[in-house]
Amino acid sequence: MAQKKYVYFYGCGSKNTEGNASMRAILGGKGANLAEMAKADLPVPPGFTISTEACAYFSAHGEYPAGMLDQVKKNLKLLETRQGKKLGDAKNPLLVSVRSGAAVSMPGMMDTVLNLGLNDKSVLGFIESTKNERTGWDCYRRFIDMFGDVVMGPTTGLKHEDFEVEMTALKKKYGAKQDTDLTADQLKELCGIYKKVYAKKVKKPFPQDPFDQLTAAINAVFGSWNSERAQIYRQINKVTGLLGTAVNVCSMVFGNMGETSGTGVAFTRDGSTGEDKPMGEYLINAQGEDVVAGIRTPKSIDEMPNEGDKIWTKAHKDLLAIMKKLEKHYKYPQDVEFTVQEGKLYMLQTRNAKRTGLAGVRWAVEMATGKDVVDGSPRPKLVKPEEAIQTLTGSDLEQLLFPILDPVAEKKAEVLTKGLPAGPGAGVGQIVFDAAEAQRIVGENKDAKLIVVRHETSPEDVGGMWAAQGILTTTGGMTSHAAVVARGWGKCCITGASAMAIDYKAQTLTVGGKVLKAGDWISLNGSTGTVYAGQLPTEASPVVSGVVQGKKSAQKHPIYKMYKQVSDWADKFKKIDVRTNADSPKDAATARAFGAQGIGLCRTEHMFFEGDRIWAIREFIVAEDKAARESALKKLLPLQRSDFEGIFKAMNGLGVTIRLIDPPLHEFAPTTDEQQAELSKRIGVPVAKIAARVKKLHEANPMLGHRGCRLSITYPELCEMQARAIIEAACNMSKKGIDVHPEIMVPLVGTKAEVDFCAAIIRKTADEVIKAKGAKKVAYKVGTMIEIPRAALTADAIAETAEFFSFGTNDLTQMTFGYSRDDVGSFLPDYLSNKILPVDPFQSLDTTGVGQLVEMAVKKGRGTRPTLKCGICGEHGGDPASVKFCCKTGLNYVSCSPYRVPIARLAAAQAAVAK
Ligand code: PEP
Ligand code: MG
């Protein structure tokens, strides 16, 4: 049987190179790109790559797969022959670097060991063959340090700092300011000291056999794949499904051979602003790690031609030409590493450049339009719009929409804790523990900047939440009350920051041993869930001023123009509609400005958040008899009708799905003494009576309790009032020339009989209203939420009555997993860290489990009613991966909060283009 191939040669001409860029999965990003550059005959020092499959085998079995070591030996021999040198030879040694590299670049893994192959004898051979004594000892001391630190460090505790103190002492001894001031003899002395440091900690002398050095380095790279650092990195960045890391064994080139040598890193474009201008840094007479280690201050690559020696002018010219070529080849800006050895330029690495969201959007737009977004000047046209949008992520666009924390300040800030990234953007303000207090403070001083910090929030906190810059809670998941409300407004919010302890009485917040008081400043990054101490500076978004406020000056801003271009492309390519979840005329108008094509969910209970309205719904909740309920409903009807009118107007010509009221009682019932006293005052019912009623209403599991259509079945008058308010509003608006398309939706359905019961009331009421108003143009639809697993299982029967389905994936996730939406924050971190779950299922749809129910319900529903319109209105409607699943499943639309509409449009376009 032919042996499996684990080792791939690259360099020494394109015909000798075995891999290419498409082999990322097995060669890793670095290995695949080295091969690709070598294939393009770019100056790459030759070497070989050991595959990620070998790493996977090593991780599983603790040994190399059969044949791997032979292949390493064979390729090493090949490399030695082609370079005319031998690894660690006493006369003319080949030196190599050993570098890790997975398919996704991962800072958590072992980085690089340089100058491998040096020992007490080969260092002399190296000096002899290069005629450069100083470089020889410099390379040897670097190698002992790096080998000790990165190869032996993880098992022995040996660290770079152990060597560094000796270097500092030696510099002091000889009055050397920089390491480049040390002479060859002094560096030789340092090598002796370093070997002692090594032997003391490792309890063995520094290895002299070059092949032993090589295998130890290979083992260390393989081992680093499962280091704690690497695992945490993969978890945070949701890197899954990779085999392991590849190992790149590359022949060394030397940037530390004197004044005509050097090393550096460069970007083909600016990774922070996105400007089409190469940028980078280099150091003369240095090796790779010096540039990033900050020992000496590197110079900008723009300085290269001014070095005096014309080799630097040529190296600069060659570097720019290669960078241009690479960008064109990869159709994406690159981040490269290079070395100049005695005047000759070598490329050591290239990869798609890391960047900010802003830079990513600017690159995408400029590469596809061939025009600079700032001054309109011509730029290279490298990709088609459909390719450009594939390079973007939802969070890139998100960064353009919200004020963000100043990235430089954020890097330096003190992290207090982390929670769930429930509402994106930046929130900077003074701590306030009471939402009503926040509302009061902002009422008195509209410039006050506050962060509402609570265990959890409830509807009556909404005023204070709105007044604040951000919301921070200790409990709750991604679909908790605070999260859903904040996201609807585009407000910064972090939930489930469970490491914090709040003492409302003492007005303190304790986290990590630090005590913060009301009034102390904190800063939230709602896109990452990080909470910082202090008042960090923020940057505002011209997109929001241009889109939501329609400000003409903002619409001329380059950031607005980029957003607009990406949105236009998204609309051109996407195949499904993007609707919005909006509960007020204002939110509806905002969403429409962001491109929403209708309302997918109007949560009518949320309409009672504003002002004093909560009391009207509370009056209904505590009413003991039909007369009391009807009196409460009379107050609710005009409020609802006028809101619906505003929403129909904002959505003129588009579908508006309005859901019957669905208030979980724990959120809406007046539970505190103050609330009960206030309600008593308002409706003239004794507090004791209200308290007794609330006690009776208490539910052990309110999320599974008396909510949704269950309320309409107990109180049909509620369903009737809402149908009346909706259709009266539609008729009134239709009379004013507005094109209305009401869609009335029944929530929390599990059986066909429930839909039948509610639909009968709705249809009877609606037909009466239409007839009475003579509104011939008003046509309505009655449909249902699919958010209980039983509804999905019996979707064929439900579709006999329901004219549309909307998947409420918040509840569907809650009920399929059996995880309470409100309490998931208490155990989710453990589930994620133990890899029980790959991601939070309330954030990104569980396509394998919950997704099956969605697919089945669509199929069954359309089996009964082929024209059945299906959409999704859970929070997943704004999550790019979930949107892509919805496109694949054949949904007609996704619906999400207003500020996520642009992100959903982009995801829908990406799904369409990917097909
Ligand atoms: C859902 O359950 O997904 C949904 C949209 O309804 P709510 O979040 O209001 O329960
Ligand atoms: Mg629901």
Side-chain angles (χ1 to χ4, degrees):
M1 200 174 75
Q3 236 178 20
K4 189 167 171 60
K5 187 169 175 63
Y6 290 109
V7 184
Y8 296 76
F9 195 87
Y10 67 83
C12 300
S14 53
K15 64 177 188 315
N16 292 316
T17 297
E18 297 181 302
N20 61 51
S22 72
M23 294 167 71
R24 266 190 109 79
I26 56 165
L27 296 182
K30 202 173 282 152
N33 286 334
L34 281 167
E36 186 78 7
M37 286 200 288
K39 269 219 166 348
D41 284 319
L42 293 176
V44 175
F48 54 87
T49 303
I50 307 170
S51 76
T52 57
E53 290 171 315
C55 176
Y57 188 95
F58 186 85
S59 300
H61 301 91
E63 59 179 12
Y64 300 146
M68 185 200 103
L69 201 60
D70 287 344
Q71 293 178 32
V72 168
K73 284 182 185 156
K74 207 174 117 213
N75 278 273
L76 180 62
K77 187 119 221 119
L78 203 61
L79 186 62
E80 288 173 340
T81 313
R82 287 182 177 152
Q83 295 291 80
K85 296 173 182 178
K86 200 166 170 311
L87 185 72
D89 190 54
K91 288 215 171 69
N92 186 19
L94 170 73
L95 303 189
V96 295
S97 66
V98 178
R99 314 183 69 185
S100 62
V104 174
S105 114
M106 267 182 50
M109 288 183 323
M110 192 199 94
D111 195 15
T112 299
V113 179
L114 301 179
N115 310 321
L116 188 141
L118 281 176
N119 57 25
D120 294 352
K121 286 199 183 117
S122 65
V123 66
L124 302 175
F126 179 71
I127 290 169
E128 179 64 31
S129 65
T130 58
K131 307 275 177 280
N132 194 329
E133 194 179 0
R134 191 188 176 283
T135 303
W137 293 112
D138 189 42
C139 286
Y140 196 21
R141 65 96 187 168
R142 287 170 188 271
F143 175 48
I144 302 167
D145 178 344
M146 276 198 239
F147 188 89
D149 175 29
V150 301
V151 176
M152 302 311 291
T155 48
T156 64
L158 187 56
K159 284 200 174 73
H160 171 64
E161 290 77 53
D162 298 326
F163 297 105
E164 194 62 19
V165 287
E166 299 297 343
M167 159 78 102
T168 310
L170 195 86
K171 281 205 289 201
K172 202 164 164 210
K173 177 173 161 191
Y174 291 111
K177 277 210 179 73
Q178 302 200 324
D179 52 355
T180 42
D181 297 334
L182 291 170
T183 64
D185 280 345
Q186 291 160 356
L187 288 166
K188 183 178 175 184
E189 184 182 337
L190 190 62
C191 289
I193 299 169
Y194 274 15
K195 278 190 285 177
K196 283 195 190 124
V197 170
Y198 179 97
K200 194 165 165 215
K201 202 70 171 240
V202 179
K203 306 207 168 29
K204 270 191 210 149
F206 187 74
Q208 294 294 308
D209 182 321
F211 200 72
D212 284 352
Q213 293 173 352
L214 181 61
T215 48
I218 292 170
N219 294 349
V221 177
F222 281 167
S224 71
W225 175 252
N226 280 324
S227 68
E228 199 181 333
R229 244 177 0 137
Q231 295 200 42
I232 291 172
Y233 180 87
R234 288 200 288 277
Q235 193 194 321
I236 293 173
N237 294 283
K238 301 190 179 107
V239 177
T240 53
L242 301 187
L243 291 168
T245 175
V247 185
N248 300 289
V249 179
C250 324
S251 45
M252 283 292 301
V253 282
F254 299 93
N256 55 342
M257 283 222 170
E259 295 305 303
T260 55
S261 301
T263 189
V265 294
F267 285 77
T268 60
R269 300 187 191 209
D270 187 324
S272 131
T273 64
E275 190 184 353
D276 185 9
K277 182 179 176 308
M279 53 180 281
E281 294 180 322
Y282 72 106
L283 273 176
I284 287 186
N285 198 12
Q287 276 198 335
E289 78 279 9
D290 298 347
V291 181
V292 279
I295 314 167
R296 285 190 272 149
T297 312
K299 297 186 206 169
S300 156
I301 53 168
D302 299 341
E303 294 288 313
M304 271 183 165
N306 309 328
E307 286 291 353
D309 193 321
K310 62 181 184 310
I311 73 99
W312 286 109
T313 313
K314 175 153 181 356
H316 182 245
K317 203 171 135 220
D318 290 349
L319 177 65
L320 293 189
I322 288 177
M323 280 164 59
K324 221 183 191 128
K325 196 168 170 183
L326 285 171
E327 194 179 273
K328 197 168 163 200
H329 182 76
Y330 283 97
K331 296 181 166 189
Y332 200 77
Q334 296 292 297
D335 150 4
V336 302
E337 283 178 20
F338 61 92
T339 282
V340 176
Q341 178 178 320
E342 296 182 309
K344 179 159 170 38
L345 173 73
Y346 293 93
M347 302 307 291
L348 307 186
Q349 175 175 322
T350 188
R351 61 181 174 190
N352 284 355
K354 288 251 185 310
R355 55 166 177 80
T356 60
L358 171 67
V361 177
R362 182 163 176 183
W363 291 350
V365 170
E366 292 188 350
M367 286 192 304
T369 57
K371 256 210 285 193
D372 188 303
V373 291
V374 175
D375 60 18
S377 60
R379 297 282 158 205
K381 208 167 177 170
L382 301 177
V383 292
K384 296 196 195 101
E386 52 270 48
E387 291 169 318
I389 60 165
Q390 293 292 40
T391 66
L392 297 174
T393 65
S395 71
D396 295 337
L397 268 194
E398 197 173 274
Q399 281 184 36
L400 303 195
L401 296 183
F402 298 102
I404 56 166
L405 293 177
D406 176 288
V408 179
E410 187 175 1
K411 249 195 194 134
K412 294 191 210 134
E414 179 194 349
V415 175
L416 288 176
T417 188
K418 270 200 113 165
L420 297 170
V428 177
Q430 293 173 281
I431 295 174
V432 53
F433 293 104
D434 185 56
E437 174 74 357
Q439 213 171 347
R440 190 191 60 72
I441 296 173
V442 174
E444 282 170 11
N445 169 18
K446 68 175 179 21
D447 295 327
K449 303 271 180 271
L450 303 171
I451 303 288
V452 170
V453 181
R454 309 269 315 151
H455 288 308
E456 74 273 296
T457 62
S458 67
E460 78 205 61
D461 294 333
V462 164
M465 290 162 72
W466 173 251
Q469 303 298 304
I471 299 125
L472 172 62
T473 70
T474 54
T475 61
M478 289 295 288
T479 60
S480 63
H481 177 265
V484 172
V485 171
R487 253 198 310 283
W489 294 333
K491 187 156 296 239
C492 174
C493 175
I494 296 176
T495 57
S498 52
M500 304 188 315
I502 300 175
D503 185 337
Y504 286 134
K505 216 159 166 205
Q507 294 276 289
T508 57
L509 164 71
T510 309
V511 59
K514 201 175 161 115
V515 181
L516 292 114
K517 299 183 298 300
D520 285 350
W521 286 86
I522 52 171
S523 303
L524 314 183
N525 181 339
S527 306
T528 61
T530 317
V531 184
Y532 299 97
Q535 184 181 9
L536 302 190
T538 58
E539 289 172 8
S541 159
V543 175
V544 173
S545 328
V547 173
V548 181
Q549 292 136 27
K551 272 199 192 143
K552 291 274 173 299
S553 57
Q555 290 171 357
K556 292 197 185 102
H557 197 287
I559 294 183
Y560 175 88
K561 288 194 209 157
M562 291 180 226
Y563 158 82
K564 178 83 174 60
Q565 178 64 81
V566 171
S567 301
D568 289 349
W569 282 332
D571 284 349
K572 183 169 159 207
F573 296 118
K574 75 181 178 51
K575 297 257 168 27
I576 66 169
D577 284 354
V578 174
R579 290 191 177 197
T580 191
N581 295 356
D583 319 313
S584 70
K586 186 167 158 281
D587 288 357
T590 300
R592 191 158 191 178
F594 277 126
Q597 295 162 289
I599 290 191
L601 174 64
C602 169
R603 291 178 165 103
T604 48
E605 67 280 4
H606 283 202
M607 300 172 114
F608 300 110
F609 288 165
E610 213 174 279
D612 272 357
R613 293 174 172 199
I614 188 87
W615 300 105
I617 191 74
R618 282 188 171 147
E619 182 179 345
F620 177 84
I621 288 172
V622 300
E624 291 220 23
D625 52 35
K626 194 155 184 221
R629 279 195 299 276
E630 273 174 355
S631 141
L633 288 177
K634 267 210 188 91
K635 292 182 197 161
L636 291 172
L637 181 101
L639 298 176
Q640 293 233 290
R641 188 176 48 217
S642 80
D643 276 357
F644 294 144
E645 286 175 357
I647 290 175
F648 284 128
K649 197 165 155 206
M651 286 290 160
N652 189 359
L654 301 173
V656 173
T657 304
I658 297 170
R659 181 179 74 180
L660 298 183
I661 196 162
D662 178 12
L665 280 181
H666 66 310
E667 282 187 16
F668 283 83
T671 46
T672 66
D673 292 348
E674 295 84 43
Q675 288 167 358
Q676 292 173 4
E678 170 84 28
L679 186 62
S680 157
K681 212 162 75 197
R682 284 172 180 265
I683 62 172
V685 173
V687 174
K689 225 170 164 191
I690 293 177
R693 175 81 181 134
V694 169
K695 203 167 167 205
K696 207 165 152 208
L697 287 173
H698 174 79
E699 294 176 330
N701 285 315
M703 271 297 188
L704 303 178
H706 202 181
R707 55 178 285 224
C709 69
R710 298 159 201 175
L711 283 174
S712 295
I713 289 163
T714 313
Y715 311 120
E717 58 273 25
L718 179 61
C719 177
E720 189 193 320
M721 179 281 284
Q722 289 210 288
R724 181 172 298 282
I726 295 165
I727 300 299
E728 282 183 0
C731 294
N732 295 349
M733 285 295 104
S734 173
K735 281 219 173 101
K736 290 193 175 156
I738 304 288
D739 182 15
V740 294
H741 297 274
E743 298 163 354
I744 303 177
M745 181 155 75
V746 185
L748 225 70
V749 157
T751 71
K752 175 176 183 291
E754 287 171 324
V755 196
D756 289 347
F757 185 95
C758 297
I761 300 171
I762 295 167
R763 291 207 167 109
K764 181 168 177 288
T765 312
D767 292 344
E768 276 169 19
V769 173
I770 290 170
K771 199 165 161 212
K773 293 235 177 205
K776 289 200 193 77
K777 281 196 197 146
V778 176
Y780 66 91
K781 282 195 166 70
V782 180
T784 182
M785 300 276 287
I786 302 285
E787 52 185 343
I788 291 182
R790 194 181 187 284
L793 294 165
T794 58
D796 44 353
I798 288 174
E800 284 170 19
T801 309
E803 293 171 288
F804 62 88
F805 283 177
S806 179
F807 291 93
T809 44
N810 301 332
D811 275 312
L812 195 58
T813 300
Q814 169 169 260
M815 295 190 216
T816 305
F817 276 96
Y819 301 159
S820 154
R821 286 163 65 170
D822 292 335
D823 303 317
V824 68
S826 58
F827 58 87
L828 186 68
D830 302 327
Y831 270 53
L832 296 176
S833 67
N834 286 308
K835 299 201 189 90
I836 309 272
L837 289 174
V839 288
D840 176 354
F842 288 99
Q843 234 179 97
S844 198
L845 192 75
D846 159 46
T847 52
T848 44
V850 180
Q852 266 193 59
L853 289 171
V854 175
E855 282 166 337
M856 181 211 294
V858 170
K859 207 162 156 222
K860 282 189 162 215
R862 288 195 181 140
T864 302
R865 189 187 286 271
T867 57
L868 186 79
K869 189 152 67 178
C870 296
I872 179 178
C873 65
E875 293 303 298
H876 303 94
D879 167 65
S882 312
V883 171
K884 287 174 189 167
F885 170 81
C886 295
C887 295
K888 209 177 92 215
T889 309
L891 298 194
N892 302 88
Y893 68 86
V894 295
S895 186
C896 57
S897 52
Y899 283 78
R900 291 204 73 83
V901 168
I903 293 153
R905 283 158 79 195
L906 173 66
Q910 289 173 331
V913 167
K915 270 187 190 164

